[in-house]
Amino acid sequence: MLFVFFFILALAAAAYGLEWLIQQPGSLTLEFAGNHIETSIPVAIGGLLALTAAVILVWAIVIALVRLPGRVAGGSRERRKAKGLDVISQGLIAVGSGDAARARKAAQLAEKLLPEEPLTQMLVAQAAQLSGDRATSAKAFHKMTLKPETKLLGLRGLHIEAKRREDAEAAAHFANAAHEIAPLPWAGSAVLEHLAAAGDWEKAREALEKSVSAKAIDLASAQKLRAVIETAMAVSREREHPHDALHLARQALKRRPGFVPAAVTAAQVLIRHGDYKQAAKLIEGVWTASPHPELAALYLEALPGESNSQRVARVEKLAKLASQAPASRHIVAEAALAARDFAKAREALAPLVAEGQHPSAHTCLLMAEIEDAENGQSGQVREWLARGSRAPRDPAWIADGVVSKHWLPMSPATGRLDAFEWKTPPHSAPQLAEEGRANIPAAFLAAPVEKPAALTAAPAETNA
């Protein structure tokens, strides 16, 4: 509203000024090249304005003619770019839908229209991956690494290609190169897994701390991985440096309370050095959260000087900390069976074998042992053994579909850290061979730690 008001005001002032100029007496005389021109002031001003307008018009036409080729070329480039981007869009849609032929055709056209466009190289790489053309894919990712704005994308693509062809060294090289540019989660994870696969846990821990400092990983995940790395370090040092191993295992338990592998490692060190009381106390401390068969076996080892009846009483107290867990009932049954208290052993397993329940293979085997110890070879023993052969499998350590008898810090299938979970395996899951896989450090491929041959070894300091 104010603009309209001021426009009208300015128009009125201009009209008033023009009227005043017309009413003024006087004339303008111009002599040039023998010509004499005399006119009034208003006509002279009008002619000057007309001349100025003509000059401006001619100048604009000249500039437009000069710029015309550039504008035509620019319009052509814009149309070419718009068409190229449309082709890239259609190609990426084809990649997403799995149409390899259409994606490859779009990639070829995009290279003609927009050869320098980063998205073109991305489309070329993905179309080649979809077609199984690894060489073309790697070439496209390599081109991306030559430009600062697409270097990280290219390095990640090369890393993925190296992993697909199982070239661990090349994959680690590309991940390291990316990690030096920016602390990206994928690069940090790849570097960490490579160091872990090589068994270099010290450098793996350093790499993890760098990722934490750069905020490339959240603190909760970092604490879990710290516990895994420290437990792995404890396992590798368990025999030669038991005090360090015990310290690392306890530290892992502080970071991740109830972490069974750390508790198992710490208890094994304590038992091996005769500190049975501390071992039993440690197991009791984690049993409520993590009642586990390996801890149960170690708990029985931690009671070497007690009578069978005392052992039964001790394990019953332990079982009360997680009374509903099958591991609690199993340990009571095993202790009672050793004490030949068959009634108590059956009582412990009764909820697991009650009508309507589906006892696991281990539960059936325990029932067969009880029957055999009390009544000798009989039909009941054969019946429980038969049921055990058909029973659901007991929980085991599973990672990426691979079942292992013992915990490993990484998956033997993918190299992923903290992959193993304690759960019931599917019937189709493959068992991990005793020798494991080549990318698992040797400390984790050894046979299970045997029971201490000499329980009278000098006890270690409890605050190790």
Side-chain angles (χ1 to χ4, degrees), residues 363-373 380-381 384-385:
T363 302
C364 294
L365 181 60
L366 277 175
M367 288 299 298
E369 289 181 1
I370 294 169
E371 289 293 340
D372 182 55
Q380 287 291 330
V381 174
W384 280 114
L385 290 175

Side-chain angles (χ1 to χ4, degrees), residues 166-420:
E166 297 185 354
D167 189 344
E169 291 301 321
H173 168 74
F174 295 128
N176 272 311
H179 197 53
E180 289 176 1
I181 298 172
L184 298 172
W186 73 266
S189 177
V191 170
L192 183 60
E193 288 176 1
H194 176 71
L195 293 170
D200 196 341
W201 298 110
E202 287 288 359
K203 287 187 178 180
R205 183 156 64 170
E206 291 175 8
L208 176 60
E209 295 306 323
K210 286 182 181 178
S211 294
V212 173
S213 300
K215 297 183 179 179
I217 183 173
D218 62 275
L219 290 178
S221 298
Q223 282 292 78
K224 289 183 178 180
L225 290 178
R226 282 170 177 154
V228 170
I229 292 173
E230 286 164 353
T231 302
M233 293 172 70
V235 171
S236 64
R237 300 180 184 183
E238 184 181 344
R239 292 186 177 277
E240 295 183 2
H241 304 283
H243 286 76
D244 290 345
L246 183 58
H247 172 73
L248 287 164
R250 282 177 165 168
Q251 189 167 289
L253 274 175
K254 288 180 181 178
R255 297 187 191 279
R256 195 167 172 176
F259 188 43
V260 171
V264 167
T265 303
Q268 283 176 339
V269 173
L270 291 168
I271 291 172
R272 183 172 288 113
H273 289 79
D275 201 342
Y276 305 114
K277 184 177 180 181
Q278 284 296 319
K281 185 177 179 181
L282 184 145
I283 294 171
E284 290 166 359
V286 300
W287 189 263
T288 302
S290 306
H292 194 276
E294 288 185 70
L295 292 175
L298 289 170
Y299 192 76
L300 291 174
E301 285 187 41
L303 309 173
E306 298 186 1
S307 65
N308 285 333
S309 59
Q310 289 175 322
R311 287 159 67 93
V312 171
R314 289 285 297 274
V315 297
E316 282 185 318
K317 289 182 180 179
L318 178 70
K320 287 180 180 178
L321 298 175
S323 57
Q324 301 303 314
S328 293
R329 298 195 173 277
H330 288 163
I331 190 175
V332 172
E334 289 171 7
L337 178 60
R340 301 191 66 79
D341 189 343
F342 305 119
K344 188 178 289 293
R346 284 194 176 86
E347 181 184 351
L349 297 178
L352 302 179
V353 298
E355 188 174 352
Q357 298 298 316
H358 300 282
S360 69
H362 183 55
T363 302
C364 294
L365 181 60
L366 277 175
M367 288 299 298
E369 289 181 1
I370 294 169
E371 289 293 340
D372 182 55
E374 184 176 15
N375 303 315
Q377 290 292 330
S378 64
Q380 287 291 330
V381 174
R382 290 189 293 273
E383 180 181 341
W384 280 114
L385 290 175
R387 287 186 64 178
S389 66
R390 302 187 301 270
R393 296 170 70 176
D394 288 277
W397 291 109
I398 303 176
D400 301 318
V402 177
V403 180
S404 175
K405 185 177 180 181
H406 299 286
W407 176 83
L408 297 172
M410 69 200 76
S411 167
T414 63
R416 182 166 53 96
L417 274 176
D418 195 24
F420 276 93

Side-chain angles (χ1 to χ4, degrees), residues 23-111:
Q23 292 177 354
Q24 299 304 312
S27 62
L28 179 66
T29 302
L30 176 64
E31 291 186 5
F32 179 73
N35 296 314
H36 180 84
I37 302 173
E38 184 175 351
T39 184
S40 64
I41 295 295
V43 173
I45 292 175
L48 181 61
L49 292 174
L51 180 61
T52 303
V55 171
I56 292 173
L57 179 61
V58 171
W59 178 254
I61 292 172
V62 172
I63 292 298
L65 290 173
V66 171
R67 292 180 177 177
L68 182 60
R71 289 183 177 179
V72 171
S76 177
R77 283 196 301 269
E78 288 300 318
R79 288 192 296 273
R80 187 184 184 89
K81 184 176 181 179
K83 183 179 179 181
L85 291 176
D86 182 61
V87 169
I88 291 173
S89 176
Q90 294 300 319
L92 292 175
I93 291 173
V95 169
S97 61
D99 189 342
R102 185 180 170 195
R104 188 168 55 252
K105 184 178 179 181
Q108 292 171 351
L109 183 56
E111 280 195 298

